[in-house]
Amino acid sequence: MEALAETKSHASLQTLPGDDVRQMMWRFTDRYELHMLVQAARHVARGPVARLVAGGGRNSHEWTADKAALLPHFDESGITAAFLDPAQGGFIAGPKNLVLALIAFELAWVDAGAATCSLAGNLGLAPIHERGTPEQRAKYMVAAAPAKPGDHRKQVRAAFALTEPIPFVGVETGMLAGKVRVAEWKEGDEPVLQVDKRGRFITNMGFANVVTAAVDSDDKRIEGSCMVILEEDDPGLWDRGTPTKKLVHQLSSTNDPVFSLRVPARRIVGGYAVRDGVIVPNYSHSEIIEAVFRRTRVTVGLMTSAKLLSAVEPIILYQRRRFRGGEGAPGTPRFELGIQQKEDALHRLLDVWATGEASASLGFAAARWFDELDSLEKEKDQWLAEKKLTGRAAFKELSKKQDEALELLKITSRPVGEREHKREEELQSDPLVRFAMLDSVANVLCPACKLWNTGHGANMMREAVSLMGGYGITEDCPGFLGQKWMDAQLEATYEGPEAVQRLQLSLTMTNELFLAQFEQWIAEMRRIASDRPGTGACTLATAMQLWMWAIKRVQTATDADGDRLYHKSRQGVTFPLADALCWLLAARQFILDVVELDGKGTENSALAESLAGTVSFFTDLCHIQTARAAGEVGRICAEIIHGYNRHPAWDEASCHACYCASELESLESIIPGIEGSARAYSDVYESNESHPLKAGPCVRFAGLEAFVRLRAKLDGCLTGCRLAKDRAAEALTKVMTREALDYPA
Ligand SMILES: Cc1cc2nc3c(=O)[nH]c(=O)nc-3n(C[C@H](O)[C@H](O)[C@H](O)COP(=O)(O)OP(=O)(O)OC[C@H]3O[C@@H](n4cnc5c(N)ncnc54)[C@H](O)[C@@H]3O)c2cc1C
């Protein structure tokens, strides 16, 4: 093991990571159907999509024939049918979250508008997929499968219409202007509904022939809101509306449509019951969109990850060739390395790369998580149906499962010898307990991935663009980086902008069951740190502890005026803590993926020569990302923990006294003892009864001693992170690349 560690520390990155590495990190090595699908999607992305972008296809708002010509490519390559079950004309059985994530990643590697065009069809069908009646599924999902040769049926192309013209639905999804009324209801017959809906920014609307639309009741004979399936041939008005003059994702079609249509009541997604002469939809529009978005948002998050990772090779190529003019001769550093001679350019590229890796790791982990959750969710629904539990009664039963899941976590956190094995087995084998555990994490992973991957990802795409100089902001930029930067902003916006994800996180990240699992993840990082300190797992564990301390504190603490800190209207507290959590989750998943690669990589003989170098480089990249995450988390938590306290007196004397007498003095006593190790600091603190922080001379720190100690410890944990960056920077100067990208510019 030591010998291996030794080799790894000296091995260097030979080539950019290929499919073998990705399959292992993102855990689909054994899924050959996915390998094939990735190849097929890549072929479309780097072929017809790339040619269309390079040929200026993005320079129009309209849905042109050239853009429409991509649809048959999606159909023929299997991209369209990948969403469907085999019985519906698809070819992959089981959950499809990872499948769709991989397709989105491949398409967005070149152009996220093309990815959106393909995925928006799935989004349009998703209400039917998630909550539709068996009849609705049979009709629309099957009709969405590409027609086979000789089969002349009209293929369903779907769109999803929630957003409405201002001042109605946007972030606030409850403000529906779209209405549904009973148009006709003859005794004993199925009611006919009148649906009026205007949409804003509806993707695929240039060509969709089926729309799932969110509407509210405008009739005493219909209860609440619902989603309704609209078809192009329904009687009434089907106006596709004007194309949106968007600056992004121009290969997808976006319009502001107007519908005024009569449809049979069986088009209510998920069906309805008639109670006392009132149509009661089985699902409200918000129940449906919640079920839909919690899956589709993960895929969006991965589009931005693809952009960041796709930027690495064009930037390296650009940097290396930049100084080849003038007197430089082959073989000289100036000729061979170009801008790569400059440390800052290398370091910034590493930041882009590390962000791309961490966000891809987070996104694919979330996709896999939902794959596992999907089947458990079905079991849960069946269990509730068998027990005839709905509404509050169902909620009560599921809360019991949450308590049992907490009990299981308590048992498994004890040493094996001290556990109640019988109870452990009993709880482990209960699918509903497992569901409760996974669900609590899924409720965090999805918004975290959408928020961090796209929001922070968009910021980092700007960094990527800046590394290409003026070229970065031209249409000719290799890798289309300028367009990708703008596109990333849409990914941060549609399917709910960052505020929506932060709002959701502020509710789900304080779930006791999530926090209990997060505690276990801290212990897991400490264990990894003892085997692989180079990953920065120790730093991450401390940053996770700091966040945990802060989140627990703010839930009970008040500010200087006695007002509660953790409250839904206090977004200044909840939102930054949500951001901080995302940094941790992404860095954690990146470390876990590198550990996976290190552990399983030897099973693949094709990786034999390059594995050690790849793992060594990725280990340094993890360290870089962890250090950055720790910095963000430290800053955010410190602002919140200290920022809502009032400074005792802001005059020079007290300020001076305060600082000199406690903080500076304590730091002086800390620093000589710290010797580069946070544990040493901790020991110094523990053994020193007269430590100024313990004595608490500064009222500002009263009750916050543990936080202050953790924060100082976190700084100490950064030891070595810049050495890792230097090593990784050197690797960037040596890694082999292709002579040119495999798609046109
Ligand atoms: C190209 C494109 C394609 C799209 N495709 C579709 C589609 O196919 N179907 C569909 O239904 N929609 C679609 N959308 C709409 C998209 O989902 C919405 O634009 C998005 O959800 C935001 O709504 P809004 O633009 O009305 O922003 P607003 O609701 O006006 O919000 C603007 C900003 O205000 C702030 N804000 C708002 N509310 C809050 C709050 N509660 N707390 C804190 N801050 C807040 C946030 O910063 C937010 O970003 C698309 C949009 C675009 C641009």
Side-chain angles (χ1 to χ4, degrees), residues 123 160-163 166 169-172 200-203 246 248 254 490 493-497 499 503 571 575:
L123 180 65
F160 175 89
L162 170 66
T163 310
I166 288 172
V169 172
V171 164
E172 298 290 338
R200 177 169 56 112
F201 303 153
I202 306 305
T203 306
K246 58 188 174 178
V248 293
T254 315
L490 175 58
T493 302
Y494 69 3
E495 295 204 23
L503 270 172
Q571 296 178 344
F575 280 22

PDB file of all heavy atoms in Angstrom, residues 123 160-163 166 169-172 200-203 246 248 254 490 493-497 499 503 571 575, ligand 1:
ATOM      1  N   LEU A 123     -39.448  16.861 -20.512  1.00  0.00           N
ATOM      2  CA  LEU A 123     -40.078  17.682 -19.468  1.00  0.00           C
ATOM      3  C   LEU A 123     -41.582  17.814 -19.742  1.00  0.00           C
ATOM      4  O   LEU A 123     -42.402  17.735 -18.821  1.00  0.00           O
ATOM      5  CB  LEU A 123     -39.418  19.067 -19.428  1.00  0.00           C
ATOM      6  CG  LEU A 123     -39.949  20.055 -18.401  1.00  0.00           C
ATOM      7  CD1 LEU A 123     -39.686  19.568 -16.983  1.00  0.00           C
ATOM      8  CD2 LEU A 123     -39.329  21.443 -18.589  1.00  0.00           C
ATOM      9  N   PHE A 160     -43.783  21.912 -21.924  1.00  0.00           N
ATOM     10  CA  PHE A 160     -44.256  22.031 -20.546  1.00  0.00           C
ATOM     11  C   PHE A 160     -44.566  23.507 -20.300  1.00  0.00           C
ATOM     12  O   PHE A 160     -43.673  24.349 -20.410  1.00  0.00           O
ATOM     13  CB  PHE A 160     -43.130  21.537 -19.629  1.00  0.00           C
ATOM     14  CG  PHE A 160     -43.359  21.685 -18.166  1.00  0.00           C
ATOM     15  CD1 PHE A 160     -43.989  20.671 -17.451  1.00  0.00           C
ATOM     16  CD2 PHE A 160     -42.912  22.806 -17.478  1.00  0.00           C
ATOM     17  CE1 PHE A 160     -44.176  20.786 -16.080  1.00  0.00           C
ATOM     18  CE2 PHE A 160     -43.092  22.932 -16.111  1.00  0.00           C
ATOM     19  CZ  PHE A 160     -43.728  21.914 -15.419  1.00  0.00           C
ATOM     20  N   ALA A 161     -45.823  23.816 -19.998  1.00  0.00           N
ATOM     21  CA  ALA A 161     -46.190  25.235 -19.863  1.00  0.00           C
ATOM     22  C   ALA A 161     -46.628  25.561 -18.440  1.00  0.00           C
ATOM     23  O   ALA A 161     -47.764  25.283 -18.045  1.00  0.00           O
ATOM     24  CB  ALA A 161     -47.303  25.577 -20.849  1.00  0.00           C
ATOM     25  N   LEU A 162     -45.704  26.125 -17.710  1.00  0.00           N
ATOM     26  CA  LEU A 162     -46.017  26.604 -16.356  1.00  0.00           C
ATOM     27  C   LEU A 162     -45.922  28.133 -16.331  1.00  0.00           C
ATOM     28  O   LEU A 162     -46.861  28.819 -15.938  1.00  0.00           O
ATOM     29  CB  LEU A 162     -45.029  25.984 -15.348  1.00  0.00           C
ATOM     30  CG  LEU A 162     -45.055  26.561 -13.932  1.00  0.00           C
ATOM     31  CD1 LEU A 162     -46.384  26.255 -13.263  1.00  0.00           C
ATOM     32  CD2 LEU A 162     -43.920  25.993 -13.089  1.00  0.00           C
ATOM     33  N   THR A 163     -44.796  28.668 -16.772  1.00  0.00           N
ATOM     34  CA  THR A 163     -44.527  30.102 -16.656  1.00  0.00           C
ATOM     35  C   THR A 163     -45.507  30.919 -17.500  1.00  0.00           C
ATOM     36  O   THR A 163     -45.830  30.549 -18.625  1.00  0.00           O
ATOM     37  CB  THR A 163     -43.074  30.397 -17.091  1.00  0.00           C
ATOM     38  OG1 THR A 163     -42.216  29.496 -16.403  1.00  0.00           O
ATOM     39  CG2 THR A 163     -42.683  31.826 -16.771  1.00  0.00           C
ATOM     40  N   ILE A 166     -45.806  38.123 -17.225  1.00  0.00           N
ATOM     41  CA  ILE A 166     -45.771  38.938 -16.004  1.00  0.00           C
ATOM     42  C   ILE A 166     -47.106  39.667 -15.867  1.00  0.00           C
ATOM     43  O   ILE A 166     -47.623  40.110 -16.891  1.00  0.00           O
ATOM     44  CB  ILE A 166     -44.573  39.906 -16.091  1.00  0.00           C
ATOM     45  CG1 ILE A 166     -43.287  39.081 -15.919  1.00  0.00           C
ATOM     46  CG2 ILE A 166     -44.643  41.029 -15.075  1.00  0.00           C
ATOM     47  CD1 ILE A 166     -42.003  39.819 -16.171  1.00  0.00           C
ATOM     48  N   VAL A 169     -47.291  33.592 -13.002  1.00  0.00           N
ATOM     49  CA  VAL A 169     -46.278  32.585 -12.592  1.00  0.00           C
ATOM     50  C   VAL A 169     -44.853  32.834 -13.089  1.00  0.00           C
ATOM     51  O   VAL A 169     -44.619  33.079 -14.267  1.00  0.00           O
ATOM     52  CB  VAL A 169     -46.702  31.183 -13.076  1.00  0.00           C
ATOM     53  CG1 VAL A 169     -45.592  30.160 -12.851  1.00  0.00           C
ATOM     54  CG2 VAL A 169     -47.952  30.728 -12.360  1.00  0.00           C
ATOM     55  N   GLY A 170     -43.936  32.752 -12.156  1.00  0.00           N
ATOM     56  CA  GLY A 170     -42.493  32.769 -12.421  1.00  0.00           C
ATOM     57  C   GLY A 170     -41.909  31.959 -11.284  1.00  0.00           C
ATOM     58  O   GLY A 170     -42.316  30.805 -11.074  1.00  0.00           O
ATOM     59  N   VAL A 171     -41.044  32.603 -10.490  1.00  0.00           N
ATOM     60  CA  VAL A 171     -40.542  31.919  -9.287  1.00  0.00           C
ATOM     61  C   VAL A 171     -41.713  31.488  -8.402  1.00  0.00           C
ATOM     62  O   VAL A 171     -41.756  30.377  -7.876  1.00  0.00           O
ATOM     63  CB  VAL A 171     -39.579  32.851  -8.512  1.00  0.00           C
ATOM     64  CG1 VAL A 171     -39.349  32.349  -7.104  1.00  0.00           C
ATOM     65  CG2 VAL A 171     -38.262  32.987  -9.265  1.00  0.00           C
ATOM     66  N   GLU A 172     -42.657  32.383  -8.242  1.00  0.00           N
ATOM     67  CA  GLU A 172     -43.852  32.055  -7.452  1.00  0.00           C
ATOM     68  C   GLU A 172     -44.795  31.242  -8.334  1.00  0.00           C
ATOM     69  O   GLU A 172     -45.504  31.802  -9.177  1.00  0.00           O
ATOM     70  CB  GLU A 172     -44.553  33.346  -6.986  1.00  0.00           C
ATOM     71  CG  GLU A 172     -43.707  34.225  -6.087  1.00  0.00           C
ATOM     72  CD  GLU A 172     -43.473  33.612  -4.704  1.00  0.00           C
ATOM     73  OE1 GLU A 172     -44.268  32.737  -4.293  1.00  0.00           O
ATOM     74  OE2 GLU A 172     -42.493  34.021  -4.048  1.00  0.00           O
ATOM     75  N   ARG A 200     -45.252  31.890 -21.097  1.00  0.00           N
ATOM     76  CA  ARG A 200     -44.104  32.769 -21.373  1.00  0.00           C
ATOM     77  C   ARG A 200     -42.861  31.895 -21.371  1.00  0.00           C
ATOM     78  O   ARG A 200     -42.682  31.089 -20.461  1.00  0.00           O
ATOM     79  CB  ARG A 200     -44.013  33.836 -20.272  1.00  0.00           C
ATOM     80  CG  ARG A 200     -42.812  34.766 -20.404  1.00  0.00           C
ATOM     81  CD  ARG A 200     -42.921  35.960 -19.450  1.00  0.00           C
ATOM     82  NE  ARG A 200     -43.076  35.584 -18.062  1.00  0.00           N
ATOM     83  CZ  ARG A 200     -42.171  35.769 -17.100  1.00  0.00           C
ATOM     84  NH1 ARG A 200     -41.034  36.354 -17.369  1.00  0.00           N
ATOM     85  NH2 ARG A 200     -42.404  35.392 -15.862  1.00  0.00           N
ATOM     86  N   PHE A 201     -42.023  32.055 -22.367  1.00  0.00           N
ATOM     87  CA  PHE A 201     -40.757  31.310 -22.440  1.00  0.00           C
ATOM     88  C   PHE A 201     -40.983  29.796 -22.468  1.00  0.00           C
ATOM     89  O   PHE A 201     -40.359  29.071 -21.688  1.00  0.00           O
ATOM     90  CB  PHE A 201     -39.857  31.618 -21.236  1.00  0.00           C
ATOM     91  CG  PHE A 201     -39.498  33.061 -21.011  1.00  0.00           C
ATOM     92  CD1 PHE A 201     -39.191  33.527 -19.745  1.00  0.00           C
ATOM     93  CD2 PHE A 201     -39.434  33.950 -22.060  1.00  0.00           C
ATOM     94  CE1 PHE A 201     -38.832  34.842 -19.515  1.00  0.00           C
ATOM     95  CE2 PHE A 201     -39.072  35.278 -21.846  1.00  0.00           C
ATOM     96  CZ  PHE A 201     -38.781  35.723 -20.565  1.00  0.00           C
ATOM     97  N   ILE A 202     -41.857  29.303 -23.304  1.00  0.00           N
ATOM     98  CA  ILE A 202     -42.129  27.863 -23.299  1.00  0.00           C
ATOM     99  C   ILE A 202     -41.260  27.149 -24.340  1.00  0.00           C
ATOM    100  O   ILE A 202     -41.373  27.397 -25.543  1.00  0.00           O
ATOM    101  CB  ILE A 202     -43.636  27.575 -23.533  1.00  0.00           C
ATOM    102  CG1 ILE A 202     -44.479  28.352 -22.506  1.00  0.00           C
ATOM    103  CG2 ILE A 202     -43.919  26.066 -23.454  1.00  0.00           C
ATOM    104  CD1 ILE A 202     -44.131  28.111 -21.038  1.00  0.00           C
ATOM    105  N   THR A 203     -40.396  26.276 -23.844  1.00  0.00           N
ATOM    106  CA  THR A 203     -39.443  25.587 -24.715  1.00  0.00           C
ATOM    107  C   THR A 203     -40.144  24.530 -25.564  1.00  0.00           C
ATOM    108  O   THR A 203     -41.058  23.850 -25.074  1.00  0.00           O
ATOM    109  CB  THR A 203     -38.342  24.928 -23.861  1.00  0.00           C
ATOM    110  OG1 THR A 203     -37.786  25.926 -23.029  1.00  0.00           O
ATOM    111  CG2 THR A 203     -37.232  24.338 -24.723  1.00  0.00           C
ATOM    112  N   LYS A 246     -34.229  35.432 -27.155  1.00  0.00           N
ATOM    113  CA  LYS A 246     -33.247  35.061 -26.132  1.00  0.00           C
ATOM    114  C   LYS A 246     -31.816  35.179 -26.651  1.00  0.00           C
ATOM    115  O   LYS A 246     -31.582  35.082 -27.858  1.00  0.00           O
ATOM    116  CB  LYS A 246     -33.543  33.670 -25.599  1.00  0.00           C
ATOM    117  CG  LYS A 246     -33.554  32.614 -26.649  1.00  0.00           C
ATOM    118  CD  LYS A 246     -34.035  31.286 -26.107  1.00  0.00           C
ATOM    119  CE  LYS A 246     -34.140  30.355 -27.304  1.00  0.00           C
ATOM    120  NZ  LYS A 246     -34.533  29.042 -27.044  1.00  0.00           N
ATOM    121  N   VAL A 248     -29.497  33.158 -25.498  1.00  0.00           N
ATOM    122  CA  VAL A 248     -28.874  31.892 -25.076  1.00  0.00           C
ATOM    123  C   VAL A 248     -29.614  30.716 -25.695  1.00  0.00           C
ATOM    124  O   VAL A 248     -30.733  30.867 -26.185  1.00  0.00           O
ATOM    125  CB  VAL A 248     -28.939  31.760 -23.548  1.00  0.00           C
ATOM    126  CG1 VAL A 248     -28.072  32.804 -22.870  1.00  0.00           C
ATOM    127  CG2 VAL A 248     -30.379  31.890 -23.055  1.00  0.00           C
ATOM    128  N   THR A 254     -38.100  28.613 -28.215  1.00  0.00           N
ATOM    129  CA  THR A 254     -38.812  29.161 -27.042  1.00  0.00           C
ATOM    130  C   THR A 254     -39.812  30.211 -27.517  1.00  0.00           C
ATOM    131  O   THR A 254     -39.428  31.146 -28.226  1.00  0.00           O
ATOM    132  CB  THR A 254     -37.814  29.812 -26.053  1.00  0.00           C
ATOM    133  OG1 THR A 254     -36.699  28.946 -25.879  1.00  0.00           O
ATOM    134  CG2 THR A 254     -38.458  30.071 -24.711  1.00  0.00           C
ATOM    135  N   LEU A 490     -28.706  30.723 -18.357  1.00  0.00           N
ATOM    136  CA  LEU A 490     -30.071  30.197 -18.505  1.00  0.00           C
ATOM    137  C   LEU A 490     -30.249  28.953 -17.646  1.00  0.00           C
ATOM    138  O   LEU A 490     -31.284  28.764 -17.003  1.00  0.00           O
ATOM    139  CB  LEU A 490     -30.399  29.877 -19.973  1.00  0.00           C
ATOM    140  CG  LEU A 490     -31.771  29.202 -20.167  1.00  0.00           C
ATOM    141  CD1 LEU A 490     -32.901  30.066 -19.617  1.00  0.00           C
ATOM    142  CD2 LEU A 490     -32.040  28.890 -21.622  1.00  0.00           C
ATOM    143  N   THR A 493     -31.244  29.728 -14.472  1.00  0.00           N
ATOM    144  CA  THR A 493     -32.536  30.425 -14.375  1.00  0.00           C
ATOM    145  C   THR A 493     -33.741  29.513 -14.574  1.00  0.00           C
ATOM    146  O   THR A 493     -34.673  29.532 -13.772  1.00  0.00           O
ATOM    147  CB  THR A 493     -32.594  31.564 -15.431  1.00  0.00           C
ATOM    148  OG1 THR A 493     -31.508  32.454 -15.194  1.00  0.00           O
ATOM    149  CG2 THR A 493     -33.906  32.314 -15.368  1.00  0.00           C
ATOM    150  N   TYR A 494     -33.730  28.732 -15.669  1.00  0.00           N
ATOM    151  CA  TYR A 494     -34.984  28.003 -15.940  1.00  0.00           C
ATOM    152  C   TYR A 494     -35.130  26.789 -15.007  1.00  0.00           C
ATOM    153  O   TYR A 494     -34.211  26.407 -14.321  1.00  0.00           O
ATOM    154  CB  TYR A 494     -35.166  27.668 -17.417  1.00  0.00           C
ATOM    155  CG  TYR A 494     -34.256  26.650 -18.071  1.00  0.00           C
ATOM    156  CD1 TYR A 494     -33.287  25.957 -17.387  1.00  0.00           C
ATOM    157  CD2 TYR A 494     -34.407  26.374 -19.435  1.00  0.00           C
ATOM    158  CE1 TYR A 494     -32.501  25.024 -18.020  1.00  0.00           C
ATOM    159  CE2 TYR A 494     -33.617  25.430 -20.071  1.00  0.00           C
ATOM    160  CZ  TYR A 494     -32.663  24.766 -19.354  1.00  0.00           C
ATOM    161  OH  TYR A 494     -31.877  23.841 -19.973  1.00  0.00           O
ATOM    162  N   GLU A 495     -36.329  26.266 -14.969  1.00  0.00           N
ATOM    163  CA  GLU A 495     -36.717  25.248 -13.978  1.00  0.00           C
ATOM    164  C   GLU A 495     -36.470  25.761 -12.557  1.00  0.00           C
ATOM    165  O   GLU A 495     -36.106  25.011 -11.654  1.00  0.00           O
ATOM    166  CB  GLU A 495     -35.990  23.923 -14.225  1.00  0.00           C
ATOM    167  CG  GLU A 495     -36.401  23.300 -15.544  1.00  0.00           C
ATOM    168  CD  GLU A 495     -36.205  21.800 -15.602  1.00  0.00           C
ATOM    169  OE1 GLU A 495     -36.161  21.158 -14.545  1.00  0.00           O
ATOM    170  OE2 GLU A 495     -36.104  21.289 -16.715  1.00  0.00           O
ATOM    171  N   GLY A 496     -36.626  27.068 -12.388  1.00  0.00           N
ATOM    172  CA  GLY A 496     -36.466  27.673 -11.066  1.00  0.00           C
ATOM    173  C   GLY A 496     -35.087  28.248 -10.873  1.00  0.00           C
ATOM    174  O   GLY A 496     -34.104  27.503 -10.833  1.00  0.00           O
ATOM    175  N   PRO A 497     -34.990  29.589 -10.786  1.00  0.00           N
ATOM    176  CA  PRO A 497     -33.674  30.202 -10.581  1.00  0.00           C
ATOM    177  C   PRO A 497     -33.097  29.899  -9.199  1.00  0.00           C
ATOM    178  O   PRO A 497     -33.725  29.233  -8.382  1.00  0.00           O
ATOM    179  CB  PRO A 497     -33.928  31.698 -10.761  1.00  0.00           C
ATOM    180  CG  PRO A 497     -35.383  31.880 -10.836  1.00  0.00           C
ATOM    181  CD  PRO A 497     -36.054  30.559 -10.897  1.00  0.00           C
ATOM    182  N   ALA A 499     -32.812  31.414  -6.475  1.00  0.00           N
ATOM    183  CA  ALA A 499     -33.606  31.710  -5.268  1.00  0.00           C
ATOM    184  C   ALA A 499     -34.531  30.537  -4.927  1.00  0.00           C
ATOM    185  O   ALA A 499     -34.734  30.215  -3.751  1.00  0.00           O
ATOM    186  CB  ALA A 499     -34.422  32.976  -5.490  1.00  0.00           C
ATOM    187  N   LEU A 503     -34.389  28.481  -1.514  1.00  0.00           N
ATOM    188  CA  LEU A 503     -35.591  28.363  -0.674  1.00  0.00           C
ATOM    189  C   LEU A 503     -35.832  26.902  -0.297  1.00  0.00           C
ATOM    190  O   LEU A 503     -36.097  26.583   0.864  1.00  0.00           O
ATOM    191  CB  LEU A 503     -36.817  28.851  -1.454  1.00  0.00           C
ATOM    192  CG  LEU A 503     -37.180  30.327  -1.357  1.00  0.00           C
ATOM    193  CD1 LEU A 503     -38.282  30.659  -2.348  1.00  0.00           C
ATOM    194  CD2 LEU A 503     -37.621  30.666   0.059  1.00  0.00           C
ATOM    195  N   GLN A 571     -33.818  35.412   4.552  1.00  0.00           N
ATOM    196  CA  GLN A 571     -33.007  34.786   3.505  1.00  0.00           C
ATOM    197  C   GLN A 571     -31.532  35.126   3.623  1.00  0.00           C
ATOM    198  O   GLN A 571     -30.680  34.423   3.082  1.00  0.00           O
ATOM    199  CB  GLN A 571     -33.558  35.182   2.129  1.00  0.00           C
ATOM    200  CG  GLN A 571     -34.975  34.659   1.915  1.00  0.00           C
ATOM    201  CD  GLN A 571     -35.592  35.067   0.590  1.00  0.00           C
ATOM    202  OE1 GLN A 571     -35.114  35.980  -0.076  1.00  0.00           O
ATOM    203  NE2 GLN A 571     -36.678  34.395   0.211  1.00  0.00           N
ATOM    204  N   PHE A 575     -30.179  31.527   3.038  1.00  0.00           N
ATOM    205  CA  PHE A 575     -29.627  31.351   1.683  1.00  0.00           C
ATOM    206  C   PHE A 575     -28.104  31.131   1.683  1.00  0.00           C
ATOM    207  O   PHE A 575     -27.608  30.206   1.041  1.00  0.00           O
ATOM    208  CB  PHE A 575     -30.007  32.533   0.783  1.00  0.00           C
ATOM    209  CG  PHE A 575     -31.417  32.456   0.226  1.00  0.00           C
ATOM    210  CD1 PHE A 575     -32.398  31.683   0.844  1.00  0.00           C
ATOM    211  CD2 PHE A 575     -31.776  33.161  -0.914  1.00  0.00           C
ATOM    212  CE1 PHE A 575     -33.699  31.612   0.342  1.00  0.00           C
ATOM    213  CE2 PHE A 575     -33.071  33.098  -1.438  1.00  0.00           C
ATOM    214  CZ  PHE A 575     -34.035  32.326  -0.808  1.00  0.00           C
TER     215      PHE A 575
HETATM  216  C1  LIG B   1     -35.075  30.278 -22.534  1.00  0.00           C
HETATM  217  C2  LIG B   1     -36.060  29.944 -21.467  1.00  0.00           C
HETATM  218  C3  LIG B   1     -36.758  28.749 -21.552  1.00  0.00           C
HETATM  219  C4  LIG B   1     -37.750  28.462 -20.607  1.00  0.00           C
HETATM  220  N1  LIG B   1     -38.499  27.319 -20.755  1.00  0.00           N
HETATM  221  C5  LIG B   1     -39.611  27.156 -19.967  1.00  0.00           C
HETATM  222  C6  LIG B   1     -40.524  26.085 -20.213  1.00  0.00           C
HETATM  223  O1  LIG B   1     -40.327  25.255 -21.092  1.00  0.00           O
HETATM  224  N2  LIG B   1     -41.642  26.001 -19.451  1.00  0.00           N
HETATM  225  C7  LIG B   1     -41.894  26.889 -18.442  1.00  0.00           C
HETATM  226  O2  LIG B   1     -42.928  26.764 -17.792  1.00  0.00           O
HETATM  227  N3  LIG B   1     -41.032  27.904 -18.167  1.00  0.00           N
HETATM  228  C8  LIG B   1     -39.906  28.065 -18.908  1.00  0.00           C
HETATM  229  N4  LIG B   1     -39.035  29.096 -18.670  1.00  0.00           N
HETATM  230  C9  LIG B   1     -39.342  30.026 -17.590  1.00  0.00           C
HETATM  231  C10 LIG B   1     -38.371  29.944 -16.431  1.00  0.00           C
HETATM  232  O3  LIG B   1     -38.534  28.734 -15.749  1.00  0.00           O
HETATM  233  C11 LIG B   1     -38.609  31.182 -15.555  1.00  0.00           C
HETATM  234  O4  LIG B   1     -38.085  32.278 -16.271  1.00  0.00           O
HETATM  235  C12 LIG B   1     -37.942  31.072 -14.210  1.00  0.00           C
HETATM  236  O5  LIG B   1     -38.560  30.070 -13.429  1.00  0.00           O
HETATM  237  C13 LIG B   1     -37.993  32.397 -13.428  1.00  0.00           C
HETATM  238  O6  LIG B   1     -39.211  33.021 -13.477  1.00  0.00           O
HETATM  239  P1  LIG B   1     -39.252  34.597 -13.860  1.00  0.00           P
HETATM  240  O7  LIG B   1     -38.449  34.770 -15.092  1.00  0.00           O
HETATM  241  O8  LIG B   1     -40.664  35.035 -13.878  1.00  0.00           O
HETATM  242  O9  LIG B   1     -38.474  35.301 -12.664  1.00  0.00           O
HETATM  243  P2  LIG B   1     -39.113  36.071 -11.419  1.00  0.00           P
HETATM  244  O10 LIG B   1     -40.147  35.245 -10.769  1.00  0.00           O
HETATM  245  O11 LIG B   1     -39.528  37.442 -11.857  1.00  0.00           O
HETATM  246  O12 LIG B   1     -37.856  36.198 -10.480  1.00  0.00           O
HETATM  247  C14 LIG B   1     -36.762  37.069 -10.826  1.00  0.00           C
HETATM  248  C15 LIG B   1     -35.727  37.052  -9.732  1.00  0.00           C
HETATM  249  O13 LIG B   1     -36.271  37.651  -8.551  1.00  0.00           O
HETATM  250  C16 LIG B   1     -35.766  37.036  -7.394  1.00  0.00           C
HETATM  251  N5  LIG B   1     -36.869  36.372  -6.669  1.00  0.00           N
HETATM  252  C17 LIG B   1     -38.101  36.081  -7.127  1.00  0.00           C
HETATM  253  N6  LIG B   1     -38.826  35.451  -6.179  1.00  0.00           N
HETATM  254  C18 LIG B   1     -38.036  35.334  -5.103  1.00  0.00           C
HETATM  255  C19 LIG B   1     -38.199  34.785  -3.803  1.00  0.00           C
HETATM  256  N7  LIG B   1     -39.325  34.185  -3.402  1.00  0.00           N
HETATM  257  N8  LIG B   1     -37.157  34.853  -2.944  1.00  0.00           N
HETATM  258  C20 LIG B   1     -36.007  35.444  -3.305  1.00  0.00           C
HETATM  259  N9  LIG B   1     -35.802  35.980  -4.507  1.00  0.00           N
HETATM  260  C21 LIG B   1     -36.782  35.925  -5.405  1.00  0.00           C
HETATM  261  C22 LIG B   1     -34.733  36.011  -7.875  1.00  0.00           C
HETATM  262  O14 LIG B   1     -33.473  36.613  -7.954  1.00  0.00           O
HETATM  263  C23 LIG B   1     -35.243  35.678  -9.265  1.00  0.00           C
HETATM  264  O15 LIG B   1     -34.237  35.142 -10.116  1.00  0.00           O
HETATM  265  C24 LIG B   1     -37.998  29.374 -19.546  1.00  0.00           C
HETATM  266  C25 LIG B   1     -37.246  30.540 -19.450  1.00  0.00           C
HETATM  267  C26 LIG B   1     -36.314  30.844 -20.398  1.00  0.00           C
HETATM  268  C27 LIG B   1     -35.563  32.128 -20.280  1.00  0.00           C
END
